[in-house]
Structures are given as C-alpha cells and as structure tokens.
Amino acid sequence: MKLKVTLESLDDKVRALQYSSTNKKLFIGCKELTIFQFINQQTYKIKNIEEEGSIYSLFINNNLNNNELFIGRHSGSLQLFDLQQEKYIFNLQNYHDNTIRCFYEDYNILFTGSYDYKVKLFDKRKNKEMKLENDICHSGYVNSIFVKDNSIYTASIDGISIFNLQNGKLLQKIKQKSEVLSFINLENNLTFCCKDGSVKIFDLNCNQVIHTLFSYNNCINYSMNCIDNTIENTFSGNSNGEIFNFNNENLFQQEEPLQIKDKSSIRSICCLQSGNNSSKQIRYLAIGTQSKSVQVYSYNTI
C-alpha cells in the first residue's frame, strides 16, 4: 500500500467516511461535513448553521445510484444532504436521544442505530419514523446494523443481536467476549471487529461465528474500531494506527499490518472505487484518524 494523499488539520476527529461512486467525491464526517474531490484534489467544508453537534456517521447507498447522503450527529439529529446540489434538505433534531452511530437501508426504510441503545426505522417515502410493535433496545451503544430477509442484525455490547423486522421482537443474542464495534456484509457472512482487537466471521445461515481472522495472543489488546471491504479484501483499523488487510478468497492469507504515518487511532475506514491500469486494478483506501486527518492509500490487485 502506498500513501497518496493526506488531509490534515480538519476540524475534529474523523469518525465517518463515505465515498460517492456517482460524484467521485469522498465525504468526511468531522464537526462539519468536509468534501474531498479526487479530480482536482480540492477540499472544502459545508457549513451547517442549524446543527452544532459533530458528525458520527454517514451513509450513501451507492447501489441505488442516487444523490442522498444521510448524516448522523452527536446530538442525535438526523440530516439529509443532497449530493448534487450540495445542500441540506432536512434536519430532524433529537431524532435519537443520543449520538446516531450507524445506518442501513432496505427497501426505502432507513435503519439508524444510536448511543441511546435503540434502533429506529425511518420511512424515506413519507419522511417520518416508522413504529414497530416493540422497541428495538440493547444494553449499550448500537454500533452497526444489517438487514436480511425478515431479520435485523445489530452489533453492540450484547454481541450480535437478531430482531424480527415485522414487530421488533428480539429473536436471538449471540454473546461475544468483547463489545462488537462494527461489521460488514459479504455474501452470506458478516465480518466483525471487536473492542479486544479481534476480527471474526459470522455465518448468516447458521447464526454462528465460524472463523477468527485475527486475535491478540498477549495482554496488549488494541481496539479494532472499524471495518470495510471490497469483493477481494477486507480492511480493519485499530487504536494503534494499524491497518489489517484480509484476503476474502483465502482467509488464511493475511498481510502484515500497515502502520499509518502518525500512529494515531483509526476511527473510520472506507474502500473507494477502483480504476484500471493495464493488467492491474488500482484501488484506494481512505483512513480517518483521531488526530483530525484523512490518509488515502492506493493498492494493487491482480
């Protein structure tokens, strides 16, 4: 991996990153929304006078090829930002009682997970919350969400919890030794990372952990904070400023972790769209850090 771009002196820790494959721009969640254009290498901020809370989560559904960016704030506010016009469409203040940490979208329903221990459903067609028979509640922060068939999968201090999508009823809890901080879907699996530094694979067919990609064998455990993937690779970043690269085709093939230049805690990670270069594909990986910077790396796949 080769460092290509460093964006420094941003206005806060970089807790969220999202890339728009339509607009070819990287959206950076700090105190204000910051935008990096790959074409001309320019960076600029979008001022939001209605909301002072820092950004903790961003969501673009690149599968739909639309112009929507959802923003979750530390204050619990939910915002919609138009990518083409580059302006805020709405701001739902106090949508959650605490920080909005994660998003997922399924058939025009936006799922939000929060530090208020709850998951909420937002109907995009009606622009309002969709109530279920039961509240989807946890024992701690909701860190990640995934939906499959009629089930909602969540990551929290409870481990991985499964709820019924129709009524919100808890179906199953799969406890882990440490808090699950994030997960990412690939086919029939969820790859998740934990506060104890481990990275594991959860099978959605049998609802069990089937493989451990990485775990510490000593008393020094750095929290594995974030995770993202492509078809070929899964990347995870930890609190010691290390990037782990796992080969999705060969789970036993793992590169040595890459130490980012300032060794700052990695708070967010985002795989970007690739471009072609002869027989190889050039891919990019964006890293958001505790030290208010973003680092963009390039790497090749055969």
Side-chain angles (χ1 to χ4, degrees), residues 56-57 72-78 94-104 111-121 136-145 154-158 179:
Y56 271 64
S57 53
R73 295 274 181 173
H74 179 55
S75 61
S77 295
L78 172 65
N94 303 315
Y95 181 71
H96 275 277
D97 295 330
N98 206 330
T99 302
I100 297 177
R101 184 66 187 93
C102 55
F103 291 102
Y104 189 81
F111 297 78
T112 57
S114 170
Y115 286 178
D116 64 7
Y117 304 0
K118 295 179 181 179
V119 170
K120 289 189 175 184
L121 283 64
I136 302 175
C137 298
H138 301 72
S139 302
Y141 298 163
V142 182
N143 299 316
S144 211
I145 303 174
T154 63
S156 70
I157 199 169
D158 296 325
E179 181 176 0

Side-chain angles (χ1 to χ4, degrees), residues 2-211:
K2 184 178 180 181
L3 180 63
K4 304 294 289 185
V5 178
T6 301
L7 309 176
E8 296 181 307
S9 301
L10 299 171
D11 61 10
D12 202 350
K13 304 167 189 174
V14 182
R15 300 180 180 90
L17 293 167
Q18 281 283 281
Y19 177 72
S20 170
S21 56
T22 303
N23 297 278
K24 304 295 188 294
K25 295 177 182 177
L26 179 67
F27 294 85
I28 303 166
C30 306
K31 184 172 179 56
E32 300 289 352
L33 181 64
T34 302
I35 301 175
F36 174 67
Q37 298 184 107
F38 277 86
I39 295 175
N40 56 20
Q41 304 281 290
Q42 288 187 347
T43 305
Y44 55 98
K45 289 197 298 186
I46 304 294
K47 184 68 177 175
N48 176 25
I49 60 175
E50 295 183 2
E51 185 61 54
E52 296 184 355
S54 295
I55 296 171
Y56 271 64
S57 53
L58 297 170
F59 179 75
I60 298 172
N61 192 339
N62 282 305
N63 295 326
L64 296 181
N65 196 29
N66 59 26
N67 285 300
E68 296 177 338
L69 170 67
F70 283 94
I71 299 171
R73 295 274 181 173
H74 179 55
S75 61
S77 295
L78 172 65
Q79 298 178 308
L80 174 61
F81 182 83
D82 188 295
L83 298 177
Q84 189 169 12
Q85 300 180 57
E86 293 194 349
K87 69 176 186 179
Y88 286 92
I89 304 301
F90 67 67
N91 180 30
L92 300 180
Q93 293 184 326
N94 303 315
Y95 181 71
H96 275 277
D97 295 330
N98 206 330
T99 302
I100 297 177
R101 184 66 187 93
C102 55
F103 291 102
Y104 189 81
E105 184 177 354
D106 187 62
Y107 294 106
N108 285 310
I109 302 299
L110 184 73
F111 297 78
T112 57
S114 170
Y115 286 178
D116 64 7
Y117 304 0
K118 295 179 181 179
V119 170
K120 289 189 175 184
L121 283 64
F122 182 80
D123 190 329
K124 290 173 53 181
R125 293 161 297 189
K126 300 178 181 179
N127 276 347
K128 68 177 186 178
E129 183 183 352
M130 187 176 113
K131 293 287 189 179
L132 298 180
E133 181 182 339
N134 300 283
D135 290 335
I136 302 175
C137 298
H138 301 72
S139 302
Y141 298 163
V142 182
N143 299 316
S144 211
I145 303 174
F146 176 70
V147 177
K148 181 184 178 183
D149 300 328
N150 285 315
S151 297
I152 304 170
Y153 293 79
T154 63
S156 70
I157 199 169
D158 296 325
I160 295 177
S161 302
I162 308 173
F163 297 86
N164 187 298
L165 177 58
Q166 302 304 315
N167 56 27
K169 185 179 179 180
L170 177 66
L171 301 175
Q172 189 177 356
K173 275 187 184 181
I174 301 91
K175 293 287 290 184
Q176 300 300 311
K177 292 181 179 178
S178 180
E179 181 176 0
V180 180
L181 297 180
S182 184
F183 56 48
I184 191 75
N185 172 245
L186 182 63
E187 297 179 345
N188 292 315
N189 295 328
L190 293 176
T191 305
F192 66 93
C193 56
C194 297
K195 202 167 187 176
D196 64 2
S198 60
V199 181
K200 301 178 181 181
I201 296 178
F202 180 85
D203 191 312
L204 293 166
N205 292 319
C206 62
N207 290 334
Q208 291 182 357
V209 175
I210 58 171
H211 187 69

Side-chain angles (χ1 to χ4, degrees), residues 206-220:
C206 62
N207 290 334
Q208 291 182 357
V209 175
I210 58 171
H211 187 69
T212 298
L213 291 175
F214 178 81
S215 63
Y216 287 101
N217 296 319
N218 51 46
C219 60
I220 301 176

Side-chain angles (χ1 to χ4, degrees), residues 232-285:
E232 300 92 355
N233 300 86
T234 296
F235 296 92
S236 191
N238 73 8
S239 59
N240 193 42
E242 295 173 306
I243 305 168
F244 292 75
N245 182 3
F246 305 97
N247 187 309
N248 293 333
E249 295 297 321
N250 181 358
L251 298 178
F252 298 98
Q253 180 181 339
Q254 177 192 336
E255 296 181 2
E256 286 295 315
L258 172 69
Q259 184 83 62
I260 64 173
K261 68 174 187 176
D262 61 357
K263 297 185 179 181
S264 176
S265 176
I266 298 172
R267 308 305 301 176
S268 52
I269 195 165
C270 180
C271 297
L272 312 184
Q273 190 183 34
S274 63
N276 291 323
N277 180 13
S278 64
S279 61
K280 295 183 178 180
Q281 286 188 317
I282 301 175
R283 296 190 183 276
Y284 296 94
L285 184 72

